Amino acid sequence: MDKQQERASSETKVTETKAERHKQRQKKLKAGVDAKIAAAQEEKGILLVLTGNGKGKSTSGFGTIARAVGHGQRAAVVQFIKGNWECGERNLLEQAGVKFYVMASGFTWETQDKQQDTAAAEAAWQQAEQLLSDDSVDCVMLDELTYMLSYHYLDVDRVINALNNRPKMQHVIITGRACHRAVLDIADTVSEVLAVKHAFDNGVKAQVGFDY
């Protein structure tokens, strides 16, 4: 065997060794995943919190609502602080039968009226409470609810009580920055969206079809 053949043979053995190691790692990984799947047998409604300072929390929540609708489930959305301006997700999802309830006062820094904001939050929350007691609704999104607790427009205990006593199989999605610890404590899944960079901070205006 000449040197070129020896080199080729050696490279083949190295490749085969790497392939075998990869195979063994993947087998170990699969065994771990299979074990977790086998252990996860409970079925229940999930409380998902999407929080953090990054962009995309509501977008992610609407994606989950769309998924539920795609499976023929009934979903509803309560939007806090967003106001009555056009919302692309609402335009689409209402056509698919998703009910929207919107806190019409808009962002609290625009109204600068705590009494008005508190009354608007109360009205929106009453709609939320009805949804959270309706076992025919499979998935409820409480968009930007976290601000209602941060600004003390809603009582934390009242919110926690409604979440804890909702129908067993009802899923709930809560979005917004700085989620209250009491909500985080009862959540099943919490994802924090990290703000690395945002176009708006560099003077780029919010754009139709991408930002709203």
Side-chain angles (χ1 to χ4, degrees):
M1 181 182 296
D2 60 27
K3 289 184 178 180
Q4 186 174 357
Q5 289 176 321
E6 288 179 359
R7 189 182 307 113
S9 176
S10 177
E11 289 176 352
T12 298
K13 289 180 179 179
V14 169
T15 300
E16 290 175 347
T17 299
K18 289 183 177 179
E20 181 60 28
R21 288 175 179 171
H22 175 76
K23 181 178 180 180
Q24 293 304 318
R25 285 196 299 268
Q26 294 304 105
K27 285 178 65 176
K28 185 177 180 180
L29 176 62
K30 182 179 185 303
V33 172
D34 288 346
K36 289 183 178 180
I37 292 174
Q41 294 300 312
E42 181 182 4
E43 292 189 26
K44 56 171 286 187
I46 301 297
L47 174 55
L48 167 64
V49 173
L50 301 167
T51 191
N53 294 332
K55 173 182 171 58
K57 298 179 291 294
S58 294
T59 304
S60 176
F62 281 123
T64 303
I65 291 294
R67 175 182 291 158
V69 172
H71 284 287
Q73 297 181 354
R74 185 181 175 204
V77 177
V78 181
Q79 286 188 291
F80 297 90
I81 77 170
K82 286 292 178 68
N84 280 325
W85 58 85
E86 189 175 20
C87 170
E89 295 94 340
R90 181 179 180 184
N91 292 344
L92 178 67
L93 292 170
E94 280 189 326
Q95 295 180 48
V98 177
K99 294 291 186 181
F100 274 70
Y101 304 91
V102 182
M103 179 175 156
S105 63
F107 291 110
T108 186
W109 54 83
E110 291 179 343
T111 65
Q112 300 175 16
D113 185 333
K114 185 171 183 177
Q115 184 175 0
Q116 176 184 326
D117 289 341
T118 301
E122 170 66 24
W125 180 247
Q126 287 181 9
Q127 296 288 350
E129 284 183 319
Q130 291 182 27
L131 294 170
L132 293 172
S133 64
D134 186 347
D135 61 8
S136 72
V137 181
D138 301 292
C139 191
V140 178
M141 180 174 171
L142 304 175
D143 189 33
E144 313 289 7
L145 174 67
T146 61
Y147 294 96
M148 301 301 99
L149 301 179
S150 297
Y151 298 150
H152 306 291
Y153 294 161
L154 295 175
D155 178 70
V156 174
D157 291 336
R158 179 181 174 187
V159 171
I160 296 298
N161 182 66
L163 294 171
N164 279 334
N165 290 286
R166 71 187 194 278
K168 183 178 184 298
M169 296 305 298
Q170 186 182 77
H171 304 300
V172 176
I173 307 158
I174 294 175
T175 71
R177 299 185 180 195
C179 186
H180 195 286
R181 172 56 59 182
V183 177
L184 295 177
D185 286 345
I186 66 169
D188 298 290
T189 302
V190 178
S191 292
E192 184 171 7
V193 182
L194 177 65
V196 177
K197 184 187 291 187
H198 199 300
F200 181 74
D201 295 330
N202 292 316
V204 181
K205 68 186 292 185
Q207 298 174 69
V208 175
F210 185 81
D211 292 297
Y212 61 93

